[in-house]
Amino acid sequence: MKKHISILMLAVMMVMVLAGCGGGADKSDAPVVGDWKMTTVEAMGQTANIEEYATMTGMSADDVKMNLSIKGDGTFTIDAGSIFGGASGEGKWDYKEPTLTLDYEGKTTCEYKDGKLVMSLEEGGQSVSVTFEK
């Protein structure tokens, strides 16, 4: 199970690194603008916070971190811990309440609700949901 969750998290990261959408206009008033940290992972019917997930995988919390910075100019950057090989990336985004779309060679969407961003993916027949908080 640990291996499956790690693989699914890697898939999540790969999708996000390949994400972003049109820019240009000032988007600084959008509620999604700011710095976000991954706080929970839900996979295989189990939800774990970062510390629990790190323990389940035998890693440190720093190893499984993922940070997302959404900027008012329509760009974003993402930085992940060593579980993802220290991967980082950037792209563009668009927000139409309640959906944040990260776009770069394909689109990934997150739902903004109650001050959180939730990204749901389907990978290998398994649903994975990752929650980010400011």
Side-chain angles (χ1 to χ4, degrees):
M1 179 169 147
K2 291 178 189 177
K3 185 176 183 179
H4 290 285
I5 293 173
S6 294
I7 290 170
L8 293 173
M9 288 302 302
L10 180 58
V12 169
M13 178 57 196
M14 290 174 71
V15 169
M16 290 190 68
V17 166
L18 297 174
C21 169
D26 180 19
K27 300 179 178 185
S28 58
D29 61 342
V32 297
V33 172
D35 295 325
W36 298 84
K37 293 183 181 195
M38 181 175 66
T39 56
T40 61
V41 178
E42 182 180 338
M44 298 178 180
Q46 295 185 14
T47 301
N49 65 36
I50 297 308
E51 290 78 19
E52 293 166 338
Y53 180 73
T55 300
M56 288 176 11
T57 58
M59 299 181 180
S60 74
D62 285 340
D63 289 336
V64 297
K65 73 176 181 175
M66 186 185 309
N67 297 313
L68 176 62
S69 181
I70 300 174
K71 300 175 185 102
D73 65 357
T75 64
F76 75 91
T77 58
I78 189 158
D79 180 32
S82 62
I83 190 171
F84 303 112
S88 62
E90 57 185 57
K92 297 186 180 194
W93 63 270
D94 191 34
Y95 177 72
K96 291 186 175 91
E97 189 175 350
T99 304
L100 170 67
T101 302
L102 304 172
D103 185 12
Y104 178 84
E105 295 181 13
K107 294 183 180 182
T108 301
T109 59
C110 301
E111 180 182 6
Y112 176 75
K113 183 177 179 182
D114 299 327
K116 298 178 184 180
L117 286 175
V118 179
M119 177 187 292
S120 298
L121 300 169
E122 185 77 23
E123 180 63 33
Q126 297 290 328
S127 294
V128 176
S129 185
V130 178
T131 301
F132 293 87
E133 295 182 42
K134 284 186 181 182

